[in-house]
C-alpha cells in the first residue's frame, strides 16, 4: 500500500516523500457527481483510472452513493479508464456482500484485497476483469504466490462459506446499527454490515480511550471524533450486546 504511486493517491502528507510527489493524481469530493463529470470532461483522455473505496475507512465510514459508483462505471467505460475498487478495508464480506462496491449493481475492473483475506496472516491480492488478459510472470513480487499465504487465504474462504459469515455480518451489523441509532448522544451512525462509524460530539473525546483502557474493547477511529467498528465477521448478538452495554457506560464518562 505504500509504493510510490499508491502513497501519491493518499491525502496523508506524512507518508509522501518528496520523491513520490506527483501532479498525476486528482482528488475529488466523495459523491460529487458534478466534479467527477467536470474532471472527465476536462482531462478524460488523460485519466487512466478512478480509485474509490465503497465505504471510506480512515475517511470516517462514509459511503459512496449508488449513483456515484454507477457514474464512475459509465465514465470509465466512455473514456476507457479503469475503475479500481479499493476493497482492502470495506471488502471481503465485511458489509454483508463480498465486495462492498457491488451494492451499486455495477462491477469494477479491479478489486484490491488484503486485511481480512488472511484473518491476520499477511496476504493481499487483486481480482481483475476478464478484459485484462493475465500471463504467467505478469506480476513480479518477492513473496507473491507464497504457499503458506495461499493456504491461509483458502482456509479463510472455507470458513466464511461454511459458517455463513457474510450473512452473519449483515444480520449482526444491522442489529448493531439499529441499536446504536437509538442512543441519543450519537450524532450519526454510518456504514453497512460490520463496518460501522459512530460520530460523536466534540464534548465526548474520551470514549475511545475509555473503551480500551476501562473495558478492554479495541476500536478504530477517524478524525475528528468518529469511532470505527470493524469486528470479526463471526461476532454474535450476545457479543454485540456486551459492546453496547460498555459503550453506554463509556458515554457517561
Amino acid at each position: 500500500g505504500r509504493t510510490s504511486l499508491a502513497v501519491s493517491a493518499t491525502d496523508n502528507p506524512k507518508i509522501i516523500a518528496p520523491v513520490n510527489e506527483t501532479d498525476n493524481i486528482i482528488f475529488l469530493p466523495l459523491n460529487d457527481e458534478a466534479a467527477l463529470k467536470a474532471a472527465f470532461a476536462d482531462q478524460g483522455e488523460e485519466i487512466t483510472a478512478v480509485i474509490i473505496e465503497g465505504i471510506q475507512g480512515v475517511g470516517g465510514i462514509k459511503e459512496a452513493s449508488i449513483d456515484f459508483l454507477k457514474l464512475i462505471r459509465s465514465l470509465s467505460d466512455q473514456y476507457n479508464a479503469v475503475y479500481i475498487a479499493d476493497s482492502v478495508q470495506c471488502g471481503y464480506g465485511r458489509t454483508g456482500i463480498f465486495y462492498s462496491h457491488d451494492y451499486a449493481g455495477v462491477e469494477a475492473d479491479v478489486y484490491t484485497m488484503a486485511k481480512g483475506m488472511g484473518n491476520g496472516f499477511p496476504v493481499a491480492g487483486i481480482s481483475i476483469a476478464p478484459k485484462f488478459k493475465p500471463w504467467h510472470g505478469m506480476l513480479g513480487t518477492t513473496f507473491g504466490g507464497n504457499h503458506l499465504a495461499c493456504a491461509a487465504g483458502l482456509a479463510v474462504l472455507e470458513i466464511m462459506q461454511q459458517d455463513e459469515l457474510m450473512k452473519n455480518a449483515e444480520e449482526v451489523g444491522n442489529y448493531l446499527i439499529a441499536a446504536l441509532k437509538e442512543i441519543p448522544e450519537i450524532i450519526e451512525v454510518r456504514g453497512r454490515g460490520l463496518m460501522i462509524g459512530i460520530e460523536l460530539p466534540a464534548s465526548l473525546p474520551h470514549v475511545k480511550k475509555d473503551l480500551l483502557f476501562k473495558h478492554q474493547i479495541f476500536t478504530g477511529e477517524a478524525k475528528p471524533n468518529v469511532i470505527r467498528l470493524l469486528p470479526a465477521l463471526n461476532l454474535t448478538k450476545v457479543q454485540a450486546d456486551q459492546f453496547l452495554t460498555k459503550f453506554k457506560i463509556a458515554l457517561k464518562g
Side-chain angles (χ1 to χ4, degrees):
R2 295 197 176 182
T3 51
S4 180
L5 193 57
V7 296
S8 297
T10 178
D11 62 353
N12 182 358
K14 291 182 179 179
I15 62 173
I16 302 177
V19 70
N20 292 330
E21 291 179 338
T22 176
D23 294 327
N24 293 325
I25 303 291
I26 304 170
F27 291 97
L28 298 176
L30 182 67
N31 294 329
D32 190 331
E33 296 181 31
L36 181 63
K37 290 177 181 177
F40 269 97
D42 184 43
Q43 301 185 61
E45 300 304 322
E46 300 295 322
I47 294 176
T48 301
V50 179
I51 306 173
I52 185 171
E53 292 177 283
I55 301 176
Q56 291 181 334
V58 176
I61 315 297
K62 295 176 181 176
E63 190 171 336
S65 71
I66 289 175
D67 287 343
F68 194 63
L69 294 177
K70 286 183 174 180
L71 182 60
I72 290 173
R73 177 70 278 168
S74 174
L75 290 171
S76 295
D77 289 339
Q78 181 180 344
Y79 288 91
N80 197 30
V82 177
Y83 170 16
I84 300 175
D86 180 349
S87 300
V88 169
Q89 188 170 143
C90 61
Y92 234 76
R94 175 156 295 284
T95 61
I97 57 176
F98 198 79
Y99 296 122
S100 69
H101 300 71
D102 290 354
Y103 60 75
V106 293
E107 294 183 350
D109 298 310
V110 176
Y111 295 87
T112 62
M113 302 169 286
K115 296 189 186 295
M117 189 175 179
N119 194 33
F121 192 90
V123 59
I126 61 172
S127 295
I128 59 176
K131 68 180 181 181
F132 300 115
K133 303 303 179 184
W135 46 272
H136 184 71
M138 175 187 282
L139 297 179
T141 165
T142 300
F143 297 109
N146 179 279
H147 298 300
L148 181 57
C150 291
L154 285 171
V156 169
L157 287 172
E158 289 168 1
I159 293 297
M160 286 178 66
Q161 183 177 35
Q162 172 186 306
D163 294 352
E164 297 184 307
L165 293 188
M166 287 195 292
K167 179 182 178 182
N168 186 72
E170 180 181 19
E171 292 178 352
V172 179
N174 288 342
Y175 176 78
L176 255 177
I177 289 171
L180 287 166
K181 286 183 176 180
E182 297 296 320
I183 299 175
E185 292 90 341
I186 295 174
I187 294 175
E188 186 179 15
V189 180
R190 299 188 289 267
R192 287 175 181 255
L194 290 176
M195 185 171 186
I196 302 170
I198 306 168
E199 185 172 348
L200 297 175
S203 59
L204 295 172
H206 63 277
V207 174
K208 183 179 184 297
K209 286 186 177 180
D210 283 357
L211 283 171
L212 178 60
F213 293 111
K214 294 182 180 180
H215 305 289
Q216 291 72 57
I217 296 175
F218 181 80
T219 61
E221 68 174 346
K223 303 300 182 184
N225 202 22
V226 176
I227 289 178
R228 288 187 293 147
L229 298 185
L230 300 160
L233 303 192
N234 62 354
L235 185 78
T236 65
K237 287 185 178 179
V238 171
Q239 292 167 330
D241 284 335
Q242 291 172 343
F243 166 77
L244 289 166
T245 298
K246 301 296 185 182
F247 180 71
K248 290 174 183 177
I249 294 172
L251 284 174
K252 303 302 180 184

